[in-house]
Amino acid sequence: MKISLIVPCYNEENNIEPFYNESEKVFCKSGYELEYVFVNDGSCDLTAKNLKKLCNENNSNFRIISFARNFGKEAAIYAGLSYASGDYICIIDADLQQRPEYALQMANILDKEPDIDCVGAYPEKRKEFFVKALFKNVFYKLINLVSETPFKHGVSDFRMFRTNVKDAILQMKEYHRFSKGIFAWVGFENKYIPYKVMERKSGKTKWSFIKLCKYAINGITDYSAKPLYLSSVLGGLFATGGFAYYIVALVIFLMKKGYSPNALICATVFFVGGVVLGCIGITGAYLVKMYFQVKQRPIYITKEIIEKEKE
Ligand code: UDP
Ligand code: MG
């Protein structure tokens, strides 16, 4: 049985070798054969060099796909899936925050439970800035409220699945990719296990708060059109409210001459203006997605591909 480990790498120069060593240690007596699918996502440190060195000095199955620039983790996952040839496919980070022991546990579950197609992992506890944790909570509540696709709270991209899931995901060629949604959308039988998030082996996270917010907005607009309807609902409410307000203002004006509702009018104009601009923004977010999809640009551009089979 062969397992493909898809490892997206962006500036992970010091994590490549420890990741490989740890994975070998965990899987050496397991009976599984490993295939390493490293995707170098336009790193500007020594990641590319260290990946080549690893490949030259070790006898394992390697696929190293180097991108022409940084296309993001989602593109790296997609590229990894296209090159993975294993019976089970696992998406795992390079920084050892997700221990390979859990990957072995996932493989054992797939072996023992033929009805399960995908085993996902969710973090037991993660030391995070409370605002970030709060935003994540709000995100899952919101996306489950507006989307028809169910999202399991907190499930990470750390998963192992069979080739049927891989083939389904490769059919989804959307430009703006959101893996959590893609996995939820394709369905299949899923099982979830908890995992302990370790400290990053080396380097720092690539996800700033702003990047996470953009990612969340992308996820919501990818899996729900409800925000678009919200614009119409708000528009209707404000039009009705505005009409009622002017009737009331007119009646007051006729009854008590000299009544000047300027401040109220000013506030209303600002408020309604803001809502209108917000709604245009929501429409714009969807339009941008269509714009990029219509262009049919590739999800990633490869610079180099290295393939080596175990002897
Ligand atoms: N990553 C990537 N491209 C990017 C950002 C991140 O391939 O543009 C990889 C990164 O090298 C790591 C994984 O995605 O292997 C997860 O990134 P990170 O550890 O920064 O995320 P966190 O664990 O902090 O959520
Ligand atoms: Mg990490």
Side-chain angles (χ1 to χ4, degrees), residues 4-295:
S4 299
L5 294 181
I6 299 180
V7 196
C9 307
Y10 179 47
N11 294 342
E12 303 283 5
E13 57 184 4
N14 294 322
N15 289 327
I16 305 295
E17 210 185 323
F19 174 83
Y20 174 79
N21 292 337
E22 292 292 318
S23 306
E24 285 295 298
K25 210 159 70 190
V26 169
F27 278 90
C28 66
K29 291 195 183 103
S30 66
Y32 296 107
E33 186 188 348
L34 283 184
E35 171 187 70
Y36 294 89
V37 185
F38 287 106
V39 185
N40 174 20
D41 184 15
S43 301
C44 32
D45 62 356
L46 297 177
T47 299
K49 195 173 155 234
N50 292 354
L51 282 172
K52 279 184 198 163
K53 188 165 166 262
L54 188 78
C55 178
N56 291 334
E57 292 174 358
N58 296 282
N59 183 24
S60 294
N61 299 307
F62 286 107
R63 305 259 185 286
I64 300 172
I65 302 110
S66 285
F67 285 175
R69 64 166 170 86
N70 178 248
F71 281 87
K73 186 182 176 187
E74 293 290 341
I77 292 175
Y78 185 74
L81 289 172
S82 327
Y83 285 88
S85 68
D87 305 290
Y88 298 159
I89 300 99
C90 178
I91 301 171
I92 182 165
D93 289 353
D95 54 15
L96 284 172
Q97 283 194 283
Q98 301 166 340
R99 296 285 314 166
E101 284 86 348
Y102 293 105
L104 181 57
Q105 194 185 330
M106 290 172 180
N108 290 333
I109 292 175
L110 290 180
D111 275 351
K112 282 194 203 115
E113 299 182 48
D115 291 345
I116 301 293
D117 302 297
C118 176
V119 185
Y122 60 90
E124 255 175 5
K125 252 188 209 159
R126 193 167 180 176
K127 271 190 239 155
E128 268 179 338
F129 185 43
F130 84 98
V131 180
K132 197 170 167 183
L134 182 79
F135 265 74
K136 276 191 183 170
N137 247 323
V138 171
F139 166 73
Y140 280 105
K141 291 248 154 64
L142 195 64
I143 199 156
N144 276 313
L145 189 76
V146 296
S147 166
E148 270 142 37
T149 310
F151 284 76
K152 178 140 172 70
H153 192 286
V155 172
S156 66
D157 294 332
F158 185 23
R159 318 171 170 252
M160 188 178 289
F161 42 90
R162 301 181 195 275
T163 47
N164 52 357
V165 179
K166 176 189 88 169
D167 295 341
I169 290 171
L170 283 173
Q171 281 179 47
M172 299 180 69
K173 300 191 186 304
E174 54 220 60
Y175 184 81
H176 287 103
R177 303 186 71 77
F178 185 66
S179 276
K180 290 183 204 309
I182 291 175
F183 276 97
W185 193 87
V186 294
F188 291 100
E189 279 306 315
N190 292 279
K191 184 169 184 159
Y192 299 100
I193 57 163
Y195 81 104
K196 191 165 181 268
V197 184
M198 309 306 281
E199 284 298 313
R200 217 173 201 285
K201 185 89 185 155
S202 165
K204 53 180 189 207
T205 178
K206 316 298 177 311
W207 295 92
S208 64
F209 187 63
I210 299 283
K211 221 172 156 185
L212 275 176
C213 287
K214 279 190 191 160
Y215 187 66
I217 292 170
N218 186 33
I220 290 171
T221 50
D222 253 354
Y223 286 88
S224 174
K226 285 198 184 127
L228 278 176
Y229 303 129
L230 183 79
S231 326
S232 318
V233 173
L234 282 179
L237 279 178
F238 279 104
T240 320
F243 182 70
Y245 170 72
Y246 285 110
I247 300 288
V248 171
L250 188 70
V251 171
I252 293 173
F253 176 73
L254 291 176
M255 281 165 46
K256 314 180 199 173
K257 289 209 165 91
Y259 172 73
S260 162
N262 281 352
L264 208 51
I265 288 176
C266 220
T268 314
V269 166
F270 272 101
F271 186 55
V272 175
V275 171
V276 170
L277 281 180
C279 292
I280 293 174
I282 293 174
T283 318
Y286 285 91
L287 205 66
V288 162
K289 289 204 164 178
M290 282 165 61
Y291 172 69
F292 279 105
Q293 197 63 46
V294 165
K295 279 185 179 210

